[in-house]
Amino acid sequence: MPHLAIHGGVYEDEPDSAKFDGLAEIAPALYDKLAKGASACEIACQAVYQMESNPTFNAGIGSFRQTDGIARMDAACMSGTDLSVGAVISVTGVPHPISIADCLRSDGRTTSILSGKHAKAYARREDLSAAFDGQITPAQATDSSEEAGDTVGAIALDIEGRVAVAISTGGTPDAPPGRVGDVPLIGCGSYADDELGAACFTGVGEHILRACTAFHTVSNLAHRCSQEAIEHSLSEGRRRVAEFKGGGMVLSKDGELGFATCRDYLYLVAVSPEGMFATDSSNQCRI
């Protein structure tokens, strides 16, 4: 049975209805495609692509600028079927870094991760026009004085029982040029395995990468339900990493959703055969 879950980050301020609205607008149409036979990888990446197009989120055109005034973006995707991955690091001037990551994952070559100008050059060589659809301008790039919007992510389970995950971020405000967090590091911010499920996280990248949170969450699915799996991973993150801040979601191979956060609000919308679910201020699972 198909399932789709997408998130727009975790925050410590008052809930922003625009973020929930953005997620709710994206999810139903993509779920319909999933239910009609689209692959998990296709839908997960399309979901992230659409969030990169919305300046409400800290990804793509809404990315934070680093202290030198340049927006450097990271993105990654993974198929749980063959464990293929693709990621880009510190790419600039590309509104849709997830398009490059997905091409790297699927093109069958040995290279899975590219950085900076080399990722951008690869996109031009492969004629990835979708990656350049849109424009990052000073008016669109989120001001670094605002609160961090974290990573956006999507997990899909298709009708063939395949799982996939995709994530993208504009980083953190006031970051030094070239700073990289957890997003392009497979197993840290995201992981997928058809035999278990998929997970993705958002928050302080330097905390998440130290705990390899996504890999541990998916591994937990071997002997825990989805909710227990993610709560255990975040609890371990808080135990091992001082002031750990993060949140995320996990979807088992059977379509069981789990989510939790160490911060105030996780913006999440999920669609399944049972209907659509969205987090709000009353149903957050805080660790």
Side-chain angles (χ1 to χ4, degrees):
M1 300 293 282
H3 288 71
L4 174 65
I6 62 176
H7 77 75
V10 288
Y11 294 78
E12 291 182 333
D13 57 357
E14 289 300 313
D16 182 353
S17 61
K19 292 181 174 62
F20 283 119
D21 292 344
L23 297 177
E25 181 179 353
I26 292 169
L30 290 179
Y31 176 79
D32 287 344
K33 292 182 179 181
L34 195 63
K36 291 176 181 176
S39 73
C41 282
E42 176 187 352
I43 295 304
C45 289
Q46 281 189 21
V48 168
Y49 185 97
Q50 291 189 33
M51 286 186 278
E52 289 175 338
S53 301
N54 186 338
T56 298
F57 301 111
N58 177 30
I61 68 170
S63 295
F64 284 118
R65 295 186 297 273
Q66 296 183 335
T67 53
D68 61 354
I70 298 173
R72 295 179 176 86
M73 293 159 280
D74 305 326
C77 57
M78 182 173 187
S79 164
T81 303
D82 59 2
L83 306 184
S84 58
V85 300
V88 294
I89 300 173
S90 292
V91 64
T92 63
V94 179
H96 297 289
I98 193 60
S99 295
I100 309 176
D102 189 38
C103 189
L104 284 167
R105 182 200 62 77
S106 61
D107 74 359
R109 303 175 198 176
T110 56
T111 300
S112 297
I113 303 175
L114 286 172
S115 64
K117 64 181 182 180
H118 305 290
K120 191 173 183 178
Y122 169 85
R124 295 197 184 282
R125 287 197 305 273
E126 296 298 314
D127 195 25
L128 295 180
S129 58
F132 298 94
D133 185 14
Q135 186 175 11
I136 303 168
T137 70
Q140 291 171 312
T142 309
D143 188 84
S144 63
S145 65
E146 297 181 16
E147 183 183 345
D150 303 314
T151 304
V152 301
I155 301 173
L157 169 65
D158 65 27
I159 60 176
E160 300 295 330
R162 300 169 297 195
V163 295
V165 63
I167 55 177
S168 182
T169 187
T172 60
D174 296 320
R179 176 264 181 189
V180 178
D182 63 292
V183 165
L185 307 180
I186 306 302
C188 297
S190 63
Y191 198 76
D193 183 344
D194 281 3
E195 296 183 0
L196 295 168
C200 62
F201 286 84
T202 176
V204 179
E206 286 76 4
H207 296 174
I208 293 169
L209 66 85
R210 289 163 64 186
C212 290
T213 311
F215 177 78
H216 285 303
T217 300
V218 173
S219 297
N220 283 343
L221 291 173
H223 52 274
R224 290 184 168 93
C225 70
S226 291
Q227 192 60 39
E228 290 175 350
I230 193 167
E231 288 183 17
H232 181 268
S233 292
L234 289 178
S235 294
E236 282 295 288
R238 294 193 69 179
R239 185 178 71 86
R240 298 297 304 277
V241 180
E243 298 182 356
F244 182 93
K245 289 184 178 180
M249 59 190 185
V250 60
L251 188 68
S252 76
K253 64 178 182 179
D254 299 316
E256 182 184 48
L257 176 68
F259 63 94
T261 178
C262 297
R263 302 175 79 175
D264 286 345
Y265 299 99
L266 171 67
Y267 293 96
L268 180 151
V269 169
V271 189
S272 72
E274 288 73 42
M276 189 168 74
F277 166 83
T279 55
D280 57 33
S281 57
S282 67
N283 61 11
Q284 298 286 334
C285 177
R286 299 183 178 92
I287 303 299

